[in-house]
Amino acid sequence: MKELLKRILGLRFSIGLKFVAIIAVILSITMGSAAIVNYRSHNQLFLQHLEHKGEMLGQFIASISPKAILSNNILALIEYVRQVSHQQDIVYAMILAKQGHPLTGYLNNDNPYIKSAIKKVNNRRLIPIIDEINKNRDILPMRFPIRFNDRRYGTVLIGLSRARIEELSRQELIKQLLGSLFIIVFLCASIFIAFRYSALRSILRLYKGYQRVAEGHLDHRIKTRNNDELGDLAHAFNDMVGKLKVSTQEKDIALNELQELNKHLESRVEVRTHALEHLNKELEQLALHDSLTGLPNRSLIQDRMKQAISNAHRAGHTLAIIMMDLDRFKEINDTLGHNVGDHLLQDVGSRLRATLRNVDTVGRLGGDEFAILVPDTDSAASVTIAKKLIQALEPPFLLEGLNFSIGASFGIALYPEHGFDASMLLKRADVAMYIAKQSKSGYFIYDADKDTHSTSRLALMGDLRSALDEDALTLNFQPIVSVQDGTVIGIEALCRWPHPEKGLIPPDEFIPMMEQTALVRPFAEWVLKSALKQWKIWHRNGTDVLLFVNLSMRNLHDSEFPEQISRVFDSVGLDKANLILEITESVIMADPQQVLRVLPDLQKFGIDFAIDDFGTGYSSLSQLKHLPVQAVKIDRSFVINMDSNKDDATIVRSTIDLAHNLGLKVIAEGVESQATIDMLHDLNCDMIQGNFICQPVEANEISVFLQQRHTSADINTA
């Protein structure tokens, strides 16, 4: 019994068990992680199926209910709801009238949420009971409008329980964990047995032989069939024991060699163990950290955000997530090369780390975007942190022996004010960062009113997409005439959107939203195609005028825009047209290099260019003289009051003189009086445009206007 106990204790701390324990830990972590990931995937699939099921039932009832509501057939409505009540996971179902009162409903009285809601509400009215039920996180409420012939007659309410889905997911997780446990036990046992009867048995034979020789049994020999290092070790041991019989000195030498061999064996085992540990650390580093900066990557940031949100929820605290994007990083990266850009990102990461506290987390999301997680903070403190980070980035960066100053834009989102999960907070911090970059304010706290992805704006964008598909947009036209003789030189195409519910939506409301989406390309194609079709009609009727169309910055960044222009010309059936694309001054100054790259490609189609809204972009004509433009349009804010404001008149006079010195024509926008025309005539302005001459009108009214005026298709005649 004592000998058996010794063997058990010996096995407990043996190399084999240590090796198997390491394998077991690795397998447990790997398979456990896989089981958890699979659990989340199954849970998500189950929930999607549940939502799809609810949507199918709700839409089905909503589609068949109008007739019953119109005929006041309550029995039919009750039958529809009764059919739904047989469906699994349904907690309640109700059909509301247009005024909001229930026509019929169903409550699953066996459901604990129903019982609890009835007790809390303390009455049998359905609407308060359902409102109380919907407060439970396990309930998925769904609403479906009842419509017929574009009129709404009521609403279908359906409540689904996630309890069964959660239970199915848990059962699936338990099955996977039990299966993984069985596999781990089986593999560990197999590995231990294989290791025990291969390497360990030979080692034990060596060890026993060593003990026998140490006791003085020099005739003992180790029997081995191994042809590996352990077999060689056994043969060496036997040779050594044979030599021990010759002399005591040889015996001491042989014992020393045996000790060295044992140390070597232990060292190899230790090296392999450390190699496995190092490999695990490398795998974790690669999976959770950015390879360039060493900062946490998106996965680790999101994981820490989830933990921080959970802690903040329990403690009743707030936290902030700050998104950061470098300004002019693309310019440095493209000009000096990716190596310099990589060094810049590393230096930026170091500065951010040095500025923040130990409890804060800074990570790189990709490109030049960084995210900072600041626990236990409010809006005022987060603004202070953003300002400190801006100051930390102000000192120049030494790149390739040169000093470079680079700014950054910060977007701030707060928990729980702006979102309850990591994904929503990151999205809203990204929106705030975009607004900060656009406004050049350095930082911005998320504001739902300025979020172009809010529900109302998304709905408006959906309407705009439908308007494009259904050709529901319209074009108005406004003439541009010569100041000297009133000749019509050109006509500007202006888009209008008559919304069926909201009325006429101005361009300055829907065009900025459209420019932030993929609609900008089909919108530009629609405007160009519609304008060129109308120009073709005028041209066929003997009217030659220039056609002015506004161009978006997104179009300039679109590498396929020249091909799009070519397709539009082909579809309209034109080889060329008297087309002038207007580019706002602010767009040019935002990225003049991109403008210089794109405009020559467009000139190949015989297109000319004009600078729109000149005077609002904080630039001068000397900065723009290298651009291939033919004219500038003075912004209406300077023209409209020039007859009463000396400063505006001075600006207009200076702009006209400078433009003429550079060989450019000048168009004054916003002409609202004869006095303004007289002043522009005296200042030698070339062309004018405004409501005093003609308001933006439809094409047929412009045709009448053109018949009353002489026309010219040459901007140089003005």
Side-chain angles (χ1 to χ4, degrees):
M1 185 66 181
K2 186 176 180 181
E3 185 66 19
L4 179 61
L5 181 60
K6 287 183 178 181
R7 289 188 177 184
I8 293 174
L9 291 175
L11 286 175
R12 182 180 179 184
F13 299 101
S14 67
I15 296 174
L17 287 181
K18 289 181 180 179
F19 178 73
V20 171
I22 293 171
I23 297 298
V25 170
I26 295 173
L27 288 174
S28 299
I29 293 174
T30 303
M31 300 187 74
S33 300
I36 293 174
V37 170
N38 199 19
Y39 160 73
R40 292 179 177 176
S41 175
H42 276 82
N43 191 47
Q44 186 65 27
L45 288 174
F46 287 151
L47 288 176
Q48 290 177 356
H49 176 73
L50 182 64
E51 292 178 359
H52 180 69
K53 173 182 177 181
E55 185 175 355
M56 293 291 291
L57 291 173
Q59 291 179 351
F60 173 73
I61 296 178
S63 66
I64 63 176
S65 296
K67 183 176 180 180
I69 293 176
L70 290 174
S71 62
N72 199 23
N73 190 348
I74 302 301
L75 292 178
L77 295 177
I78 293 174
E79 177 61 21
Y80 300 157
V81 172
R82 186 187 65 79
Q83 293 178 7
V84 174
S85 66
H86 295 310
Q87 299 292 327
Q88 200 172 20
D89 302 319
I90 297 296
V91 177
Y92 66 82
M94 178 178 294
I95 298 177
L96 301 180
K98 180 180 180 181
Q99 295 77 12
H101 62 268
L103 297 176
T104 183
Y106 158 74
L107 296 176
N108 185 355
N109 294 323
D110 294 331
N111 190 285
Y113 301 136
I114 298 292
K115 296 178 180 179
S116 175
I118 292 175
K119 289 182 180 179
K120 290 183 179 179
V121 174
N122 199 22
N123 63 52
R124 299 296 294 181
R125 294 178 61 190
L126 293 177
I127 298 299
I129 293 175
I130 288 178
D131 290 340
E132 183 64 31
I133 294 171
N134 290 340
K135 294 179 181 179
N136 197 293
R137 296 180 63 182
D138 287 339
I139 299 301
L140 176 62
M142 304 184 78
R143 301 173 66 92
F144 304 91
I146 301 174
R147 293 182 181 275
F148 183 72
N149 289 337
D150 295 331
R151 294 187 61 185
R152 183 172 179 178
Y153 293 94
T155 306
V156 177
L157 303 181
I158 293 180
L160 303 172
S161 173
R162 295 188 179 96
R164 188 177 67 87
I165 299 301
E166 297 292 340
E167 181 61 27
L168 290 174
S169 298
R170 283 193 292 269
Q171 291 176 1
E172 185 68 21
L173 177 62
I174 292 172
K175 291 179 181 178
Q176 291 189 24
L177 291 176
L178 290 176
S180 299
L181 178 61
F182 174 78
I183 293 173
I184 291 170
V185 172
F186 176 77
L187 290 177
C188 290
S190 301
I191 292 171
F192 176 77
I193 292 172
F195 193 69
R196 178 75 173 84
Y197 287 97
S198 58
L200 283 181
R201 184 165 60 179
S202 299
I203 294 173
L204 289 174
R205 287 176 180 172
L206 285 170
Y207 182 70
K208 289 179 180 179
Y210 166 77
Q211 287 181 326
R212 294 285 291 171
V213 171
E215 293 172 358
H217 302 282
L218 300 180
D219 293 331
H220 180 74
R221 296 291 183 272
I222 298 174
K223 296 180 180 180
T224 180
R225 297 179 180 177
N226 293 345
N227 293 322
D228 52 13
E229 291 87 346
L230 293 175
D232 296 340
L233 185 61
H235 292 303
F237 179 79
N238 290 335
D239 293 339
M240 181 187 66
V241 173
K243 294 177 181 179
L244 282 176
K245 296 177 67 175
V246 178
S247 64
T248 304
Q249 184 178 8
E250 291 180 354
K251 174 185 175 182
D252 294 337
I253 294 174
L255 288 174
N256 289 335
E257 289 180 357
L258 180 61
Q259 291 175 355
E260 290 297 325
L261 288 172
N262 283 333
K263 289 180 181 180
H264 178 66
L265 178 62
E266 292 177 357
S267 175
R268 288 183 62 186
V269 174
E270 184 178 357
V271 166
R272 291 193 177 186
T273 302
H274 285 310
L276 288 173
E277 294 176 353
H278 181 68
L279 180 60
N280 285 333
K281 291 180 180 179
E282 286 185 348
L283 290 174
E284 181 180 357
Q285 180 73 17
L286 290 173
L288 300 177
H289 291 79
D290 175 46
S291 59
L292 177 62
T293 62
L295 297 175
N297 60 12
R298 183 181 292 272
S299 297
L300 185 54
I301 282 287
Q302 290 179 329
D303 182 67
R304 291 187 180 178
M305 283 184 65
K306 292 176 182 177
Q307 296 178 14
I309 290 172
S310 178
N311 295 336
H313 176 72
R314 287 196 299 268
H317 293 164
T318 60
L319 61 85
I321 181 68
I322 304 176
M323 291 275 286
M324 189 202 82
D325 177 79
L326 297 178
D327 300 334
R328 300 191 301 110
F329 173 76
K330 184 178 184 298
E331 180 181 342
I332 292 177
N333 208 35
D334 293 343
T335 304
L336 301 180
H338 294 287
N339 290 335
V340 176
D342 291 345
H343 288 308
L344 175 61
L345 293 175
Q346 291 170 344
D347 292 345
V348 169
S350 299
R351 290 194 188 183
L352 296 178
R353 258 192 315 233
T355 306
L356 296 169
R357 305 170 299 177
N358 291 334
V359 295
D360 302 331
T361 299
V362 57
R364 181 183 176 218
L365 300 180
D368 60 334
E369 287 190 349
F370 293 80
I372 300 100
L373 173 62
V374 187
D376 194 14
T377 189
D378 55 17
S379 59
S382 62
V383 168
T384 301
I385 293 172
K387 291 180 178 179
K388 288 182 179 180
L389 295 174
I390 292 173
Q391 292 175 356
L393 298 176
E394 285 180 353
F397 291 85
L398 183 63
L399 303 173
E400 293 289 312
L402 300 174
N403 288 326
F404 287 88
S405 295
I406 187 165
S409 301
F410 294 82
I412 304 171
L414 301 171
Y415 168 87
E417 181 179 352
H418 301 139
F420 295 96
D421 57 65
S423 177
M424 181 61 71
L425 288 174
L426 284 173
K427 289 180 181 177
R428 293 187 167 174
D430 186 64
V431 170
M433 181 185 70
Y434 175 80
I435 296 174
K437 182 177 289 290
Q438 292 295 105
S439 62
K440 302 186 185 302
S441 59
Y443 65 88
F444 187 82
I445 298 179
Y446 175 80
D447 185 352
D449 293 337
K450 296 186 178 181
D451 188 353
T452 59
H453 300 289
S454 63
T455 304
S456 61
R457 288 176 179 262
L458 287 175
L460 195 61
M461 290 309 299
D463 293 342
L464 179 57
R465 185 183 298 275
S466 299
L468 278 173
D469 294 338
E470 298 169 5
D471 200 20
L473 299 175
T474 62
L475 283 183
N476 282 1
F477 299 89
Q478 188 174 37
I480 299 171
V481 303
S482 170
V483 178
Q484 305 303 322
D485 58 12
T487 301
V488 179
I489 305 298
I491 296 176
E492 181 176 1
L494 302 169
C495 184
R496 297 293 184 263
W497 181 14
H499 194 280
E501 297 177 0
K502 302 180 184 296
L504 189 65
I505 299 179
D508 57 357
E509 181 175 339
F510 71 85
I511 289 181
M513 290 192 304
M514 174 272 300
E515 288 180 335
Q516 300 173 21
T517 69
L519 292 179
V520 65
R521 181 182 290 178
F523 176 78
E525 184 168 340
W526 180 88
V527 171
L528 285 168
K529 185 180 295 185
S530 301
L532 286 172
K533 284 181 179 178
Q534 183 58 50
W535 179 89
K536 184 178 180 181
I537 294 173
W538 289 328
H539 182 71
R540 187 181 300 161
N541 293 334
T543 300
D544 288 328
V545 291
L546 298 172
L547 178 64
F548 289 75
V549 178
N550 283 284
L551 190 63
S552 167
M553 184 62 184
R554 287 286 299 277
N555 298 132
L556 291 178
H557 281 289
D558 188 351
S559 61
E560 298 182 6
F561 186 63
E563 297 180 8
Q564 187 180 20
I565 291 284
S566 178
R567 290 196 303 270
V568 170
F569 271 76
D570 291 341
S571 64
V572 177
L574 293 172
D575 295 328
K576 61 179 181 178
N578 297 327
L579 178 62
I580 293 184
L581 294 179
E582 297 183 15
I583 311 168
T584 60
E585 181 190 7
S586 57
V587 165
I588 294 174
M589 297 314 299
D591 194 349
Q593 298 301 321
Q594 175 66 14
V595 175
L596 284 172
R597 284 192 293 268
V598 173
L599 293 195
D601 292 336
L602 297 177
Q603 280 186 307
K604 298 175 182 178
F605 298 97
I607 298 173
D608 292 329
F609 304 95
I611 301 172
D612 193 18
D613 297 338
F614 185 79
T616 61
Y618 305 100
S619 66
S620 66
L621 281 172
S622 61
Q623 293 173 286
L624 307 172
K625 64 184 179 180
H626 299 296
L627 295 173
V629 297
Q630 283 69 43
V632 296
K633 299 182 74 173
I634 304 177
D635 187 68
R636 69 189 315 274
S637 61
F638 301 113
V639 177
I640 194 169
N641 295 319
M642 64 178 292
D643 57 344
S644 59
N645 188 307
K646 293 182 179 179
D647 293 335
D648 287 348
T650 301
I651 292 173
V652 172
R653 180 186 297 109
S654 300
T655 303
I656 293 172
D657 291 341
L658 287 172
H660 286 167
N661 289 335
L662 292 172
L664 302 176
K665 295 294 182 178
V666 179
I667 304 170
E669 296 182 295
V671 175
E672 300 290 342
S673 67
Q674 183 62 44
T676 303
I677 296 177
D678 294 339
M679 291 184 67
L680 291 170
H681 182 277
D682 295 339
L683 294 174
N684 292 323
C685 182
D686 301 294
M687 289 162 279
I688 54 177
Q689 177 183 0
N691 293 336
F692 183 76
I693 301 165
C694 180
Q695 295 184 355
V697 293
E698 296 180 356
N700 57 347
E701 297 182 55
I702 284 290
S703 298
V704 175
F705 182 87
L706 292 175
Q707 291 174 2
Q708 300 170 354
R709 299 258 186 156
H710 295 292
T711 60
S712 173
D714 187 357
I715 197 171
N716 295 314
T717 62

